[in-house]
Amino acid sequence: MTISALGIGLTGLQANGKALGVAAHNTANMNTDHFVPQSASFNEARPAGTGVTLSIAARDLSATENVGGAPSGTDPAASIVNSLVYKAGFELSAKLIQAADERLGTLIDIRA
C-alpha cells in the first residue's frame, strides 16, 4: 500500500506541475493577439487508483468571448484561481509522498 501511495503522489506531483505550466503559459501569453489559451483536465489513471493524468486541450474561443479584456480571451482571474488550485494539489501530493515515505521507513525498521 505504501509503494502505491508513493506512485499516486508522484503522478499527482507531475500532473499538478504540468497544470501549473499550462496556467503560466496562458498568463504569459495573455496579451498576445489570437492566442488560444489551453485548459488542463485531470483524469484518473488506468487502472483505477494508480494515479492521475493530465489532458491539455486548446479552447475554442470566438471574438465575442473575449473574457477579461485580454486580446487572447484569457481570463486573468480564472488563471490566478487555477494556479492556486494546482499549487494546493501539488502541495497535497508532496505531503502524500512524505507520509508514505515515513510509513515505508517504519515498515523497514520493523522488519530489520
Side-chain angles (χ1 to χ4, degrees):
M1 179 175 158
T2 302
I3 301 296
S4 64
L6 285 171
I8 291 169
L10 178 61
T11 60
L13 283 176
Q14 292 171 335
N16 282 291
K18 288 179 184 176
L20 275 169
V22 169
H25 178 69
N26 289 344
T27 302
N29 290 294
M30 189 176 302
N31 290 325
T32 304
D33 288 329
H34 307 296
F35 172 73
V36 179
Q38 297 176 332
S39 63
S41 173
F42 292 90
N43 303 306
E44 184 177 3
R46 298 285 179 220
T50 59
V52 67
T53 60
L54 180 71
S55 172
I56 301 170
R59 292 186 290 175
D60 293 327
L61 297 174
S62 66
T64 59
E65 293 177 331
N66 191 359
V67 183
S72 65
T74 303
D75 183 6
S79 193
I80 291 169
V81 170
N82 287 340
S83 294
L84 293 173
V85 169
Y86 303 148
K87 178 182 177 250
F90 189 90
E91 290 172 350
L92 180 64
S93 295
K95 287 181 182 180
L96 175 65
I97 289 173
Q98 182 181 14
D101 180 51
E102 289 171 3
R103 299 304 173 266
L104 184 60
T106 302
L107 289 174
I108 290 172
D109 290 342
I110 290 171
R111 293 288 246 166

